Every structure is written in structure tokens, then in C-alpha cells.
Amino acid sequence: MSLSALTLRTRKRRHGAEPIVMVTAYDEPGARYVDAAGVDMILVGDSVANVVLGQADTLHVTMADMVHHVSAVAAARPAAHLVADMPWLSYHLGEFEAVANGAALVRAGAESVKLEGGRNRLSVVRALLDAEIPVMGHLGLTPQSVLAFGGFKVQSKTREAANALVEDALALQEAGVYAIVIEGVPAVVGTMVTEALEVPTIGIGAGPDTDGQVLVFHDLLGLSNRKPAKFVRQYADLGSAITEAVSRYRDDVRAGTFPDDSEVYPTPAGWLD
Ligand code: KIV
């Protein structure tokens, strides 16, 4: 059994817990590799839009896309907790649809779901919890709000906006979420909201004081074609490694040196008689 939402809910650094390590994955090999690294949580993010499907934003991701990718990640049977993003419009049209869509993600293999928004989403959060589906919140630079925000812009830059974000976080906590992702806010706001909450915060571009951190697989590994955001730390350049390896394969094929004798099936006995 992997880490449960109930256990993760207690992971506050100020109570001596280790920071939560979360990373995204979108398919079986990706999930297998990140799970082998011993992360706590794997997020099947709707960032699949940007980093896998080549789209400019997450608004084009459908439930069918998410179910497809959650099933692939779940096939790795990770020890890490598997949380799935609820895509745009899968929880905006009412509680009934939200629960049906949350259940579809659970049936695909998710152990909890994440949705964006604060006080405007409480009825949906409660309905999902009522259906026994653990929920993670997501506040700050919520990518599904890109049109409403007028772009991907750092949020909560005024004291008023920061206080509103803390109010949203407290309301989500009160409704019963087990953790909240805080994205794209000044570090001081990441600290403020983390201090205000009893449930853990998981930051991405929210400074060093949150109770955990999350990065997108392709950003962390150098597989993304988008300009890295300020908060991204790239730990490998797998994109260059892939191009280099495939170039060597290309050269071997063109030179006639692939396959060699060790890479072919032998002639069946008696074939030449
Ligand atoms: O979809 C995603 O990858 C996310 C993270 C950025 C938190 O929601």
C-alpha cells in the first residue's frame, strides 16, 4: 500500500516531518523511474498538455486524456501516492459531474485528485470528500485560470491578495483537503500560507518554506522545449542525451554496422542443407 492521503496530511515540517517530494509523471516508464528514486508523491498533472501533448496551456486537456495517462502511470504500481489533476471543466459544472469525473480518475488508478481554486470550489471539494475521494487543493498561479489572469503571471503580489490566498487556503483546509499546492507566488506568501495551515503546502515557485516541493518531470530532466521558469532547477539534460544516442544509432545504420552478428537470430539448424 502506498502513502495515503491521511498520512500525507500530517506531514508538516514545523512538526518535525521531512519535506514532501512530489514530481509529475505521465506514463509507465516515467512513473517507474521517479518511483525508483523514492519520491513521496507522483502527480499526473494536466501539464501533460504542455510537456507531452505540445499545447500552449492546460485548457485543452480532457477527462479522456487524464484517464489515459493516469492508467499508464498506475500500471507502474508506484509506491508513491498517485494524485491526478482534475482537468478544466471537469469540476466547474456542478457537484454531480465533479464526483463522476473524480471517480473516473480513481478507477483509472488515482488515490486522490487535485483541483484548482479556493472558496469558489468548496461545494465541489465537499462533494468529492463525501464520495470518499481525497482532495488536494491548488492556489496561486493556477494554470487553468490563464485566460482570467491574462497570462502566466506571479500571483498574490499585494498584501490584500496574499491575505485572500490565505483565506482561500484556510477555507479549503476547513472543507477537508489533505494538502494544498501553492504555485507562482512570492516566497513570503509561501511562508505565510504554510504558517497559517495545519495541512501541508507543496510549493512550485513558492519559495523554500513550504512543506514540500513539486517539479514537472520534463523541466527537472531537461526534456522540455519551453523556457524554464525562474523556479525550475534542471537536474539532468536528458534531451541532449537522447539526441546524442539516436545520432549514434543513425550513424551505425548508415554505416552498416548495426545490427552486428551478436544482434541477429542465427540461421536455423539444417537451413543450408
Ligand atoms: O499540472 C501540473 O503539473 C501541476 C503542477 C505544476 C503542480 O499542477
Side-chain angles (χ1 to χ4, degrees), residues 138-156:
H138 186 161
L139 294 171
L141 199 186
T142 43
Q144 292 172 14
S145 314
V146 61
L147 300 180
F149 288 162
F152 295 102
K153 297 175 180 166
V154 176
Q155 297 296 302
S156 301

Side-chain angles (χ1 to χ4, degrees), residues 171-233:
L172 287 173
Q173 171 177 271
E174 172 71 23
V177 302
Y178 71 92
I180 304 181
V181 166
I182 308 293
E183 177 167 358
V185 298
V188 65
V189 180
T191 307
M192 238 173 103
V193 65
T194 301
E195 283 175 357
L197 292 180
E198 278 307 318
V199 296
T201 54
I202 301 179
I204 175 158
D209 291 336
T210 49
D211 297 299
Q213 297 288 334
V214 51
L215 280 178
V216 168
F217 182 93
H218 293 67
D219 293 341
L220 188 160
L221 296 173
L223 287 167
S224 175
N225 70 353
R226 55 184 184 172
K227 185 175 169 289
K230 181 181 172 60
F231 56 78
V232 169
R233 187 177 294 175

Side-chain angles (χ1 to χ4, degrees), residues 24 26 43 45-47 85 114 138 181 183 204 214 216:
T24 65
Y26 312 96
L43 167 67
D46 59 356
S47 52
D85 260 338
K114 172 164 83 58
H138 186 161
V181 166
E183 177 167 358
I204 175 158
V214 51
V216 168

Side-chain angles (χ1 to χ4, degrees), residues 9 145 159 260:
R9 193 176 205 283
S145 314
R159 279 180 194 277
D260 66 18

